[in-house]
Amino acid sequence: MKKVSTVAAKVPKNFSQAKLTIGLDLGDRSSWYCVLDDSGSVLLEQRLSTTAKAMREVFGSMPRSRIALETGMHSPWISRLLTELGHETIVAHARNVRLIGESRKKDDRLDARTLARLARIDRQLLSPVKHRSAQAQADLTVIRARAGLVRARTALINTARGVTKSYGERLRGCNARNVNPEKAKGLSPELQAALEPLLAAVESLSEQIREYNQRIEQLAQQSYPQVALLKQVKGVGTLIALTYLLTLEDPHRFRKSRDVGCYLGLQPGRRNSGQSEPQLHISKEGDPYLRTLLVQGAHHILGPFGADSDLRRWGLKLAERGGKNGKKRAVIATARKLAVLLHRLWVSGEAYEPLRNSHPITMPAAA
């Protein structure tokens, strides 16, 4: 295997006069970059380490250039670093650049060259995206870490339930928030001995999740006062509101509130051709975790404990006439409406009126 050098390549003299376009194909340990001049000729193709030091050595010595890279694990911090160095940075949407993703000749060097050529022709061919700021990413990491603990706790609880059922017994009263070794007391001695460490681990995870909940509440109160605007909607708590704010970050990036539903992948796909207009599933683009939280909020709004509101009435009416899968479609549609409503409240700062568009329900007079 070739050794990857972190030493910057010697920059040709004509770099200072040329208008450069650079394609950067990112890898976990090493990356490839390709430099094109204003006529489209390849000036340099080189491998470098995927480290901040190597990036600064290579791109810090170049004149202001247009640099294209794909979305990925390292793209947030690298795009910020390149922008700090004065370059025009384009972060391409990896799923939309099919010329690279579906190529039969997939190679890091060729991918970097393709990125450079697309960026040179028209940046819109790359479906550019905007990464969030470093502070927003750091705050969102707290929420992501909590989500990881929740997934781990759910997996452990499912394991405990499955083991007891396969033994002909059941783990009673197994609420995720209060699982502890005491729950195994009604089981046989063999199962108690086997499940005690597992249930203790679940109890420990629950305690850590509660600590994360407190951190998230403090973060919202200290740094994000807009959370209070979004929490006016019953069914939206601090977790949903803060995740929404940090994921979108800038409300003015959308021309209208309805665009948020499409951005989060809650809009049905389209494949219209001629007279054919098939009904497709939602696109599921955008952030999957925020989409999951909005769906959970929609379940609460339409559920038995949801407060009366225009949104709830609209969703229940849609579920009634939706046929076999009416409830599922109503939940997704309500989640999309919820995303639009939260953006509207965020931008306008107005007070939320749950029954603005509906007439109040009046009970018939007694006979």
Side-chain angles (χ1 to χ4, degrees):
M1 178 179 285
K2 292 183 178 179
K3 181 179 178 182
V4 178
S5 175
T6 59
V7 180
K10 292 183 178 180
V11 181
K13 294 181 180 179
N14 58 347
F15 271 22
S16 58
Q17 289 81 22
K19 183 179 180 181
L20 305 179
T21 305
I22 302 172
L24 178 61
D25 185 76
L26 300 178
D28 187 48
R29 297 295 181 87
S30 63
S31 305
W32 270 94
Y33 69 96
C34 173
V35 182
L36 303 180
D37 62 13
D38 52 359
S39 65
S41 300
V42 177
L43 296 179
L44 177 66
E45 289 180 316
Q46 187 84 10
R47 188 196 295 265
L48 77 162
S49 269
T50 310
T51 62
K53 179 182 178 182
M55 294 287 172
R56 289 185 182 278
E57 288 179 349
V58 172
F59 299 110
S61 59
M62 291 186 181
R64 187 179 189 276
S65 309
R66 172 178 287 187
I67 304 179
L69 59 151
E70 285 186 297
T71 53
M73 183 69 68
H74 296 282
S75 62
W77 69 267
I78 290 180
S79 62
R80 289 194 293 266
L81 187 149
L82 295 176
T83 302
E84 290 174 5
L85 294 176
H87 297 290
E88 177 191 357
T89 307
I90 305 173
V91 182
H93 196 310
R95 288 179 58 184
N96 291 350
V97 188
R98 296 192 174 185
L99 192 60
I100 294 176
E102 298 180 4
S103 174
R104 293 186 177 182
K105 296 181 179 179
K106 185 143 183 70
D107 177 82
D108 293 343
R109 182 177 60 84
L110 294 179
D111 290 350
R113 185 182 297 185
T114 303
L115 277 171
R117 296 201 181 283
L118 290 173
R120 177 178 170 271
I121 297 171
D122 184 356
R123 60 178 294 155
Q124 294 305 319
L125 293 174
L126 298 171
S127 301
V129 300
K130 179 183 177 182
H131 280 306
R132 59 183 60 88
S133 65
Q135 184 60 53
Q137 185 177 358
D139 293 340
L140 193 58
T141 300
V142 177
I143 296 176
R144 301 291 190 187
R146 177 194 177 275
L149 291 182
V150 172
R151 287 193 298 269
R153 182 179 67 179
T154 301
L156 291 178
I157 293 175
N158 289 340
T159 299
R161 285 173 171 167
V163 167
T164 54
K165 288 180 181 179
S166 65
Y167 205 73
E169 302 183 37
R170 287 183 181 273
L171 201 59
R172 304 288 181 180
C174 198
N175 187 296
R177 294 179 178 84
N178 59 13
V179 173
N180 53 57
E182 297 292 327
K183 298 293 182 182
K185 281 190 174 181
L187 302 177
S188 60
E190 298 85 355
L191 278 178
Q192 289 187 36
L195 293 181
E196 184 177 358
L198 190 149
L199 296 179
V202 173
E203 185 180 25
S204 175
L205 287 176
S206 295
E207 179 60 31
Q208 294 174 34
I209 291 171
R210 284 191 288 270
E211 293 177 2
Y212 268 118
N213 291 340
Q214 295 175 3
R215 289 181 60 184
I216 291 171
E217 287 288 348
Q218 294 174 0
L219 183 62
Q221 293 175 6
Q222 296 173 2
S223 304
Y224 298 94
Q226 304 92 334
V227 167
L229 290 173
L230 276 56
K231 288 177 64 176
Q232 295 179 97
V233 182
K234 299 300 181 182
V236 175
T238 303
L239 179 63
I240 296 179
L242 186 57
T243 306
Y244 187 92
L245 292 175
L246 292 175
T247 302
L248 271 59
E249 191 174 13
D250 180 12
H252 302 291
R253 62 191 293 192
F254 302 98
R255 188 171 57 88
K256 52 186 179 181
S257 297
R258 293 184 63 183
D259 294 339
V260 180
C262 301
Y263 174 77
L264 296 177
L266 291 166
Q267 191 79 8
R270 288 190 302 174
R271 191 172 292 172
N272 300 345
S273 178
Q275 302 301 319
S276 176
E277 296 184 5
Q279 186 176 15
L280 303 179
H281 296 290
I282 59 174
S283 64
K284 293 187 177 180
E285 295 182 350
D287 189 270
Y289 182 63
L290 177 56
R291 186 168 58 249
T292 299
L293 291 181
L294 290 173
V295 170
Q296 291 176 3
H299 272 291
H300 177 85
I301 291 172
L302 300 181
F305 303 106
D308 189 22
S309 65
D310 289 335
L311 184 59
R312 174 181 169 82
R313 295 183 182 186
W314 178 86
L316 292 177
K317 186 177 180 180
L318 185 64
E320 290 175 357
R321 60 183 176 85
K324 181 180 178 181
N325 296 321
K327 182 62 182 297
K328 293 181 180 179
R329 293 177 181 175
V331 167
I332 298 299
T334 303
R336 181 169 63 250
K337 285 269 190 180
L338 179 60
V340 175
L341 173 61
L342 294 180
H343 183 267
R344 177 64 184 170
L345 293 174
W346 187 6
V347 172
S348 64
E350 61 188 16
Y352 173 58
E353 298 180 23
L355 295 171
R356 173 181 294 182
N357 300 319
S358 298
H359 297 290
I361 299 175
T362 57
M363 299 299 292

